[in-house]
């Protein structure tokens, strides 16, 4: 009887072992080759021809054959984006940095990602934080290489683009203002980036009050008011290297350095402010990845920002951090590559735009003097991300309407706290967008000349 029981137990154990072994073995067999299949799918989509006027995406639009189809640039249509729409309206409003697409197409191997289904499924990393230490290390190396910010002995916090980081910074600094029960005043120099105003008015109007132009607070007698000043350098929309206007014991400053890279501005020296905000979108062009970071001196401010991120979104997407890691690793391996490409592209666009508008005194651009750039060790012109365009004629009070009549959509001056004689035009979108923008501006100025001749 004992032998029979022993045999049955042995038989059960053997069968159990075989079942587990077969299951695990089958799983391993199924798992092998997954990266090859993923790569083949991505390469197949990348080979879809869109005539240079669009791109097909693995997760994009699907055609009748259940295959990805071309997503066309502005003013182009058709199955392969080869058909130009003659009287379309060009988008010069958005800040999508699509001008960097060609760079990444030429660096597809070094920047490609293959991610398994089980990659980083936890909320946190093994150190129980929401932030990748490897990515933080790359950010330190990147700033040291470019020389645009001092990060040694500084704290770094990640967010969903600079948008979330800026809001977290305002939250953290407002907690230091405990001397008054009134809302913290938030200011920025005109023309200012409209997000500052929108965030303060939307998220917590009882805690913050946007007061507009920082210059109006210079000579205020009420020195006890708690103030946060946003300083954008280079500035959005006019590209200037702005500086803080206000100072005092109750003034806190957030330095938005989103465009402080060699392809938009000379880098005269590394920035060394108490709180500096950067974003992947204006460095690599990957706006859709939603990844930004802040460099912070004060540990208390850092901890408050981390708390904000944890409560707000339980940290930053691990997928976004992984992509940022891969992109920054590629940049550092390539040396000056991305900055050379981006600067030449932006410089060429600025020169074309300047030449186009030089034939008329109806429209003018912001003027910024050349400056020494420590990254390239030479004096360089600015190559701003945006044209801060002004309609010079008194009758053109609504410059936005003037451009819209020429099928150009920009962003109105009043959005930036300025006059409507101004319009911001984006120079960082796709090459198609920029080429059509130049064509539309040329037609606008030619029609003006023709009208003057007939009078």
């Amino acid at each position: 009887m004992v032998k029979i029981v022993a045999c049955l137990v042995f038989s059960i154990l053997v069968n159990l072992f075989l079942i587990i072994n077969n299951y695990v073995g089958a799983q391993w067999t199924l798992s092998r080759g997954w990266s090859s299949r993923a790569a083949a799918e991505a390469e197949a989509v990348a080979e879809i021809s869109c005539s240079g006027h669009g791109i097909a995406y693995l997760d994009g639009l699907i055609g009748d054959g259940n295959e990805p189809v071309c997503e066309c640039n502005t003013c182009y249509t058709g199955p392969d984006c080869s058909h130009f729409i003659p009287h379309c309206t060009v988008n010069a409003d958005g800040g999508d940095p699509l001008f960097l697409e060609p760079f990444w197409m030429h660096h597809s191997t070094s920047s490609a990602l293959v991610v398994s289904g089980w990659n980083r499924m936890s909320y946190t990393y093994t150190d129980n934080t929401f932030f990748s230490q490897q990515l933080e290390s790359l950010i330190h190396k990147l700033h040291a290489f470019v020389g645009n910010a001092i990060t040694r002995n500084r704290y770094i916090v990640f967010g969903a683009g600079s948008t979330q980081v800026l809001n977290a910074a305002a939250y953290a600094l407002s907690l230091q203002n405990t001397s008054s029960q009134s809302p913290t005043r938030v200011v920025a120099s005109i023309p200012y980036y409209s997000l500052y105003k929108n965030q303060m008015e939307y998220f917590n109007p009882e805690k913050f009050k946007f007061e507009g132009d920082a210059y109006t607070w210079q000579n205020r007698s009420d020195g006890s008011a708690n103030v946060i000043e946003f300083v954008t350098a280079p500035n959005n929309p006019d590209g200037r290297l702005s500086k803080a206007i206000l100072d005092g014991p109750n003034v806190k400053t957030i330095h938005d350095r989103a465009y402080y890279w060699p392809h938009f501005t000379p880098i005269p020296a590394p920035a060394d402010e108490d709180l500096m905000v950067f974003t992947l979108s204006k460095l690599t062009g990957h706006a859709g990845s939603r990844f930004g970071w802040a460099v912070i001196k004060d540990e208390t401010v850092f901890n408050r920002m981390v708390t904000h991120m944890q409560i707000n979104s339980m940290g930053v997407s691990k997928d976004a951090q992984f992509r940022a890691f891969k992109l920054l690793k590629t940049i550092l391996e390539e040396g000056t590559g991305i900055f050379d490409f981006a600067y030449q592209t932006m410089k060429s666009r600025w020169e074309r735009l300047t030449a186009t508008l030089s034939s008329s005194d109806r429209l003018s651009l912001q003027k910024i003097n050349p400056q020494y750039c420590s990254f390239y060790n030479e004096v360089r012109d600015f190559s701003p991300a945006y044209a801060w365009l002004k309609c010079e004629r008194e009758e053109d009070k609504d410059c936005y309407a003037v451009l819209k009549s020429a099928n150009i959509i920009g962003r109105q001056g009043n959005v930036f706290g300025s006059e409507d004689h101004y319009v911001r035009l984006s120079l960082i979108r796709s090459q198609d967008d920029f080429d059509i923008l130049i064509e539309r501006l040329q037609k606008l100025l030619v029609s003006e000349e023709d009208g003057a001749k007939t009078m």
Side-chain angles (χ1 to χ4, degrees):
M1 184 68 181
V2 174
K3 289 183 179 180
I4 295 174
V5 172
C7 287
L8 286 173
V9 171
F10 177 76
S11 177
I12 291 171
L13 290 175
V14 168
N15 288 329
L16 183 62
F17 171 79
L18 291 173
I19 291 172
I20 294 174
N21 185 62
N22 287 337
Y23 177 76
V24 173
Q27 288 294 93
W28 175 248
T29 302
L30 288 172
S31 297
R32 293 184 64 183
W34 65 268
S35 59
S36 299
R37 177 178 175 181
E41 289 177 349
E43 289 180 357
V45 174
E47 290 174 359
I48 297 175
S49 174
C50 298
S51 303
H53 303 298
I55 299 178
Y57 299 98
L58 194 61
D59 63 343
L61 300 175
I62 301 298
D64 295 336
N66 203 33
E67 296 291 333
V69 298
C70 294
E71 297 183 21
C72 302
N73 294 341
T74 305
C75 297
Y76 285 88
T77 188
D80 63 350
C81 303
S82 59
H83 178 67
F84 179 70
I85 305 171
H87 303 293
C88 73
T89 299
V90 64
N91 179 1
D93 176 26
D96 284 339
L98 302 176
F99 77 104
L100 282 164
E101 278 181 349
F103 175 84
W104 294 111
M105 288 179 177
H106 283 93
H107 293 80
S108 55
T109 301
S110 60
S111 62
L113 290 176
V114 179
V115 184
S116 64
W118 59 89
N119 186 69
R120 295 293 181 191
M121 293 175 65
S122 172
Y123 282 113
T124 62
Y125 291 90
T126 53
D127 59 357
N128 291 321
T129 70
F130 293 97
F131 308 131
S132 164
Q133 290 186 357
Q134 297 299 319
L135 177 54
E136 180 180 338
S137 176
L138 280 183
I139 289 174
H140 282 287
K141 291 178 181 178
L142 175 69
H143 284 300
F145 173 69
V146 176
N148 65 339
I150 293 175
T151 64
R152 187 175 181 180
N153 299 323
R154 305 288 191 269
Y155 301 94
I156 294 181
V157 62
F158 303 159
S162 61
T163 303
Q164 188 185 37
V165 178
L166 289 166
N167 185 251
Y171 160 81
L173 294 180
S174 70
L175 292 180
Q176 293 185 320
N177 294 330
T178 58
S179 60
S180 174
Q181 297 298 317
S182 61
T184 297
R185 269 62 175 173
V186 178
V187 298
S189 299
I190 292 176
Y192 51 72
Y193 181 35
S194 58
L195 176 72
Y196 309 143
K197 178 176 184 289
N198 296 340
Q199 281 195 338
M200 297 307 104
E201 292 178 347
Y202 180 81
F203 284 117
N204 197 337
E206 294 182 359
K207 192 174 187 63
F208 301 104
K209 184 178 181 182
F210 188 77
E211 295 282 359
D213 193 7
Y215 281 97
T216 63
W217 280 78
Q218 268 189 310
N219 300 316
R220 289 287 184 99
S221 58
D222 184 11
S224 62
N226 297 315
V227 178
I228 294 176
E229 181 183 1
F230 281 99
V231 179
T232 316
N235 192 35
N236 178 0
D238 62 10
R240 300 180 187 279
L241 288 174
S242 305
K243 295 183 179 181
I245 302 299
L246 306 180
D247 193 15
N250 296 322
V251 176
K252 310 299 178 185
T253 309
I254 299 172
H255 290 264
D256 186 345
R257 292 284 186 174
Y259 297 89
Y260 199 53
W261 300 102
H263 41 291
F264 295 124
T265 179
I267 306 294
D272 188 25
E273 292 97 15
D274 290 346
L275 201 162
M276 303 175 285
V277 177
F278 295 86
T279 174
L280 190 72
S281 65
K282 301 310 182 288
L283 167 60
T284 70
H286 293 80
S289 293
R290 309 310 305 133
F291 181 80
W293 66 95
V295 180
I296 308 155
K297 286 185 180 180
D298 187 272
E299 184 178 9
T300 301
V301 174
F302 164 75
N303 288 330
R304 287 170 177 167
M305 291 182 68
V306 171
T307 299
H308 178 88
M309 298 301 182
Q310 291 175 348
I311 295 174
N312 182 270
S313 60
M314 291 292 287
V316 184
S317 162
K318 301 297 180 293
D319 295 334
Q321 293 189 56
F322 184 37
R323 189 170 200 190
F325 172 84
K326 185 67 172 179
L327 295 170
L328 297 192
K329 189 169 181 289
T330 300
I331 288 175
L332 289 169
E333 290 171 350
E334 292 288 335
T336 63
I338 191 171
F339 303 110
D340 296 340
F341 172 86
Y343 174 73
Q344 290 301 324
T345 301
M346 295 307 300
K347 179 174 178 287
S348 173
R349 291 186 178 189
W350 184 254
E351 290 172 347
R352 282 185 63 190
L353 179 63
T354 302
T356 299
L357 300 183
S358 64
S359 62
S360 170
D361 58 1
R362 185 179 186 182
L363 303 174
S364 66
L365 293 171
Q366 73 267 38
K367 292 180 175 60
I368 315 175
N369 294 326
Q371 194 165 344
Y372 173 75
C373 178
S374 60
F375 182 73
Y376 283 107
N377 194 27
E378 64 182 18
V379 175
R380 285 206 162 196
D381 288 321
F382 284 72
S383 44
Y386 305 103
W388 188 230
L389 195 75
K390 183 180 181 182
C391 287
E392 294 288 353
R393 294 179 177 177
E394 183 61 32
E395 61 268 27
D396 291 340
K397 293 181 179 180
D398 188 349
C399 197
Y400 175 85
V402 171
L403 294 177
K404 189 175 181 182
S405 68
N407 288 328
I408 300 170
I409 296 296
R411 191 168 296 183
Q412 293 166 289
N414 62 40
V415 173
F416 305 93
S418 189
E419 302 172 352
D420 280 336
H421 276 291
Y422 289 93
V423 169
R424 192 195 77 172
L425 298 179
S426 176
L427 306 182
I428 58 177
R429 292 181 57 82
S430 72
Q431 190 62 43
D432 280 339
D433 285 318
F434 181 75
D435 289 339
I436 300 168
L437 170 64
I438 294 296
E439 179 189 344
R440 295 283 186 268
L441 288 170
Q442 288 172 340
K443 287 183 177 180
L444 172 64
L445 298 178
V446 167
S447 64
E448 172 203 358
E449 292 178 1
D450 291 343
K453 290 177 182 178
T454 58
M455 289 180 66

